[in-house]
Amino acid sequence: MIKYKGLSTLEVLKEAKNYNKWISDEIKKYITTPTLEIGAGTGNISSQFLQKSPLHLSDNDAGLVKNLKKKFANHKHVAVHTIDVEKKPKEKFLNYFTTIFAINVLEHIKDDTTALHTMRSMLKKSGKLVLLVPAKKRAFTKLDKDLGHFRRYEKEELVKKMRKAGYRIEQIYFFNFVGLISWYIRDKVYKETIHLQPYHVALFDKLVPLLRAIETIIRPPIGISLIVVGTRIK
């Protein structure tokens, strides 16, 4: 789903093993199969879902799709597809999946309204859409632009868009409070314009077990991301 110079950031983030597991564990509890991941990219997060069968992965970039097929070639229960959620899906995908998830994808799509409708059409009735998206418009920075983001989301905005697209909201909450603070400081205080570097990721990843433990006990009132779970109702 990603055609932008932030691809190097995806390569850096693959080393964030604690963070990737935190995200995937947060998503897994809402997932039943057959499952489809939209915008699987380099498969960093996809690897955390290999116990799900059948598991379908997708992207709209031919190079990324090719790499995904190669990466998961030995996993017979994993299928890889080319899917662009700004276009009408293939007939075989309509009303097919019980869960669709997308992690840091919706913000890359110019027409996110069409994308939400497309994903709904691929869900069975009462199927679930699970999204993780960047939060708080005031946190939009140059790095967001460089990563190909069209927007960051406010909670109320995301709820409104999903309801309008035919979903009932089951859960919506902020995720990774410290990440938002560091993102804001990085932009407003240090005025950094470079991409995330390996040492940035390594330092944050060491803190993840502590942050995860805290957010397990106390759900933060704000965070760098929003997680939303919606059920198809029409």
Side-chain angles (χ1 to χ4, degrees):
M1 185 62 64
I2 301 164
K3 297 180 180 179
Y4 60 92
K5 58 186 177 181
L7 185 59
S8 60
T9 299
L10 289 180
E11 291 301 322
V12 172
L13 287 175
K14 73 179 180 181
E15 300 303 324
K17 293 180 172 58
N18 290 331
Y19 190 51
N20 289 339
K21 189 172 190 311
W22 185 16
I23 291 173
S24 63
D25 285 349
E26 199 67 29
I27 301 296
K28 282 177 187 175
K29 56 192 175 187
Y30 304 114
I31 286 180
T32 56
T33 58
T35 302
L36 170 67
E37 180 182 6
I38 296 293
T42 56
N44 293 341
I45 297 292
S46 312
S47 299
Q48 303 285 333
F49 291 85
L50 292 178
Q51 78 280 15
K52 300 294 182 181
S53 179
L55 174 64
H56 297 259
L57 309 177
S58 72
D59 208 283
N60 70 348
D61 181 275
L64 292 175
V65 168
K66 182 179 179 180
N67 288 338
L68 287 168
K69 288 181 177 179
K70 182 178 180 181
K71 183 172 185 175
F72 297 104
N74 294 327
H75 299 275
K76 303 305 180 185
H77 67 291
V78 177
V80 179
H81 313 282
T82 300
I83 295 177
D84 184 345
V85 291
E86 288 186 278
K87 299 178 180 178
K88 185 177 180 180
K90 294 179 180 178
E91 190 74 24
K92 66 179 180 179
F93 294 136
L94 294 176
N95 307 300
Y96 182 77
F97 300 101
T98 57
T99 311
I100 294 175
F101 71 95
I103 298 171
N104 288 323
V105 172
L106 197 64
E107 66 275 12
H108 294 282
I109 301 172
K110 187 173 183 179
D111 187 355
D112 58 349
T113 297
T114 292
L116 289 170
H117 280 277
T118 299
M119 288 186 280
R120 189 204 70 211
S121 73
M122 293 191 288
L123 284 170
K124 296 178 180 179
K125 190 173 181 180
S126 298
K128 286 183 169 51
L129 175 64
V130 185
L131 302 174
L132 183 145
V133 299
K136 306 308 295 182
K137 289 183 177 181
R138 291 184 65 181
F140 194 91
T141 68
K142 184 180 183 298
L143 182 55
D144 281 288
K145 292 180 181 179
D146 288 347
L147 291 174
H149 296 176
F150 286 101
R151 67 195 73 81
R152 301 182 75 88
Y153 289 90
E154 297 294 340
K155 183 185 285 189
E156 296 77 12
E157 171 195 15
L158 187 56
V159 166
K160 183 177 180 180
K161 285 187 175 184
M162 289 192 65
R163 285 176 175 166
K164 190 173 181 180
Y167 299 91
R168 179 178 65 250
I169 305 302
E170 307 292 349
Q171 295 272 355
I172 184 164
Y173 54 94
F174 287 105
F175 177 80
N176 188 7
F177 174 74
V178 170
L180 180 63
I181 294 175
S182 63
W183 187 271
Y184 187 82
I185 290 174
R186 184 178 182 274
D187 180 67
K188 304 300 181 183
V189 178
Y190 293 104
K191 305 294 183 182
E192 292 187 37
T193 58
I194 59 173
H195 289 300
L196 292 174
Q197 299 298 309
Y199 74 89
H200 294 147
V201 174
L203 177 61
F204 175 73
D205 206 48
K206 288 181 179 179
L207 296 174
V208 164
L210 175 60
L211 302 179
R212 181 174 180 173
I214 293 171
E215 291 198 17
T216 298
I217 300 170
I218 305 172
R219 186 162 287 178
I222 200 170
I224 197 169
S225 300
L226 276 166
I227 292 176
V228 61
V229 182
T231 297
R232 175 181 172 171
I233 58 175
K234 60 179 180 179

